[in-house]
Amino acid sequence: MNIKVLMSLVALLAAALLVAGCVEDVPVAPPDGVQGEVGIMYTAVGQMPTLLATGQIDGFMVWQPLVSMATVSEIGTVVTYSKDLPPESTWTDHTCCALSAREDFIAANPDLTNAIAALFILAGEYVQENPERSAEISANWLYGGADMTFGDVTISSYDVSKDSIPTIRFTTENSPEWLESNHRFIGALREIGYLTGELETASPDKVDTKLFDFGPYEAGLAMVEAGEIKTPPKLTRPVSLGYLPSDHDAPLFVAVKEWEYFNDNYGIALKPRADVPGKVEVADLIVNDVVVAEVRLVLGEGGAPLMTLMAANAIQFAYAGTPPAISAIDKGTPIKILFPTQTEGSGFVVDSAAPVTDWSSFITWVESRTAEGRPVKIASPARGSIQDVQIKYALQDSGVVVKEVR
């Protein structure tokens, strides 16, 4: 791992996790030649477009589809997507959402776990090949196809999803870049003492052993490539899968809503129990025309709450970010990360009236606003989130002082 990158992330994560109060200097020493100051406010992501539309913030760093909500409504302009944040190439193919599963479920139901892996591999490919249909499905699942309103601006949820889906890299490949981005966060969290459990002093090989089980992915991929899905033994009790209200989860939505396509072409399907618009709560996993499991789809408020459900065995699978899974594993939750479901998929947006078209012009604007005594104020998700660390690291790399504000 690049030592400079690691130490910078250590400092940023320390700031993100330890700073509290009204206005505090983030304890990150910027390089010589400080160009300006930016205030970061932590807030619920759903509030960000409205805060931007009403002038309470100058921008925000968040995951999709919130980025597209700002651009489609024309209240915001994309400065950069997460993969292109400075320093160059640092965040290419960076970790985001993944499918995790309880170890005891994997051990007791290997064929069913492999079949679910195969379905998500196929669903991810479908989203890549059919972005407009996937956008329609996501908009209906997440918003019931209804319009969205921010201040006095109203936009179509379908237009938002159609803009968002192409900016997310849907992949199930555990690429070297994806693995490295996970290692980078683990190393930083360890250095600041945030990992205090099973990952605190583990060797790199043991970390990978604790975090990952790529067996189901490899078995699922082999079945997909062979064109034949093995029929698992039928479960006698329901299995529950937690997910989040984001189009990062589009492969799940597609797998359910396009179940006939997957059934007819691949012999596997997640058929909804009821033919209803919008989200689905119960579906049957069908393999080779055999119903092998009742699958309950549990909507979570965030990755951490889903990990709590995993720890209690209330759900057996979670479609959520890797950072909460890493934290849960460190605390002893018996789960494994099976494979990524997408990478990247976040972005940095500023007010559409700002004189900004890219990162360089953003830094120029920051410098100008600082000189005027009106530092730029941006919103970010929770301290220590991927997006929080990314934007702080980019600002530090550009010589900007970061302060936490309300």
Side-chain angles (χ1 to χ4, degrees):
M1 180 184 298
N2 184 294
I3 297 300
K4 179 181 177 182
V5 170
L6 173 59
M7 295 311 296
S8 296
L9 286 171
V10 167
L12 290 170
L13 281 165
L17 295 167
L18 300 178
V19 172
C22 181
V23 180
E24 295 282 342
D25 284 344
V26 174
V28 176
D32 294 337
V34 170
Q35 299 184 54
E37 176 185 311
V38 167
I40 290 187
M41 178 181 76
Y42 297 107
T43 186
V45 297
Q47 298 178 358
M48 291 181 183
T50 298
L51 292 173
L52 185 64
T54 55
Q56 297 179 67
I57 57 174
D58 298 303
F60 56 75
M61 175 73 189
V62 74
W63 52 80
Q64 288 286 26
L66 280 301
V67 176
S68 290
M69 288 181 190
T71 57
V72 172
S73 64
E74 299 183 347
I75 63 173
T77 299
V78 173
V79 179
T80 178
Y81 289 101
S82 54
K83 66 184 180 68
D84 296 319
L85 277 165
E88 185 178 356
S89 301
T90 297
W91 304 110
T92 301
D93 207 20
H94 69 78
T95 188
C96 192
C97 292
L99 186 69
S100 301
R102 283 185 58 92
E103 293 178 351
D104 52 2
F105 187 90
I106 299 170
N109 306 279
D111 291 338
L112 190 138
T113 304
N114 296 344
I116 289 175
L119 179 58
F120 279 120
I121 291 169
L122 293 166
E125 292 175 353
Y126 181 97
V127 175
Q128 293 181 75
E129 295 167 3
N130 302 275
E132 291 199 7
R133 174 58 179 154
S134 300
E136 180 183 0
I137 290 171
S138 295
N140 284 325
W141 187 296
L142 294 170
Y143 315 110
D147 289 343
M148 304 173 179
T149 300
F150 309 109
D152 59 357
V153 178
T154 299
I155 56 175
S156 159
S157 59
Y158 170 65
D159 287 343
V160 168
S161 288
K162 187 169 66 172
D163 185 76
S164 171
I165 291 288
T167 70
I168 305 168
R169 185 168 184 265
F170 291 97
T171 178
T172 53
E173 180 188 3
N174 53 349
S175 70
E177 293 84 3
W178 179 77
L179 285 168
E180 174 59 21
S181 70
N182 284 296
H183 292 159
R184 187 176 296 149
F185 277 93
I186 292 164
L189 290 169
R190 177 186 287 154
E191 288 292 329
I192 65 171
Y194 190 61
L195 296 180
T196 58
E198 298 186 13
L199 301 178
E200 182 180 10
T201 59
S203 67
D205 287 344
K206 187 173 181 181
V207 165
D208 284 353
T209 299
K210 291 295 297 182
L211 289 181
F212 305 117
D213 180 355
F214 297 136
Y217 169 74
E218 293 166 356
L221 181 62
M223 290 191 291
V224 168
E225 291 176 342
E228 184 176 357
I229 310 298
K230 181 179 179 180
T231 305
K234 185 173 182 178
L235 287 188
T236 58
R237 57 187 299 179
V239 57
S240 295
L241 185 154
Y243 71 98
L244 300 175
S246 166
D247 55 9
H248 284 193
D249 293 18
L252 169 62
F253 310 151
V254 161
V256 175
K257 293 295 185 176
E258 293 285 63
W259 71 270
E260 290 176 298
Y261 167 83
F262 293 102
N263 186 64
D264 294 346
N265 287 279
Y266 304 106
I268 186 168
L270 201 53
K271 180 182 178 181
R273 284 277 178 93
D275 185 14
V276 296
K279 69 178 181 180
V280 171
E281 295 183 348
V282 183
D284 289 320
L285 180 64
I286 302 172
V287 182
N288 300 319
D289 297 322
V290 177
V291 177
V292 297
E294 174 185 319
V295 181
R296 297 178 179 176
L297 304 174
V298 180
L299 177 61
E301 296 180 356
L306 287 182
M307 293 304 117
T308 299
L309 293 176
M310 290 276 274
N313 200 21
I315 61 175
Q316 291 71 50
F317 290 89
Y319 204 123
T322 53
I326 290 169
S327 179
I329 291 168
D330 178 61
K331 293 178 174 64
T333 302
I335 63 174
K336 285 287 192 286
I337 298 170
L338 304 184
F339 52 86
T341 50
Q342 53 81 214
T343 62
E344 304 172 354
S346 296
F348 178 42
V349 172
V350 295
D351 187 338
S352 57
V356 174
T357 57
D358 55 17
W359 186 260
S360 178
S361 58
F362 168 70
I363 295 300
T364 299
W365 184 50
V366 166
E367 183 178 17
S368 174
R369 285 279 298 268
T370 301
E372 296 170 4
R374 299 186 302 116
V376 169
K377 180 179 180 180
I378 62 176
S380 171
R383 299 178 185 90
S385 64
I386 293 172
Q387 294 76 19
D388 182 44
V389 172
Q390 287 177 323
I391 191 63
K392 285 180 175 174
Y393 188 43
L395 290 167
Q396 181 210 23
D397 183 71
S398 299
V400 175
V401 172
V402 180
K403 292 188 175 183
E404 187 173 323
V405 300
R406 287 183 179 175

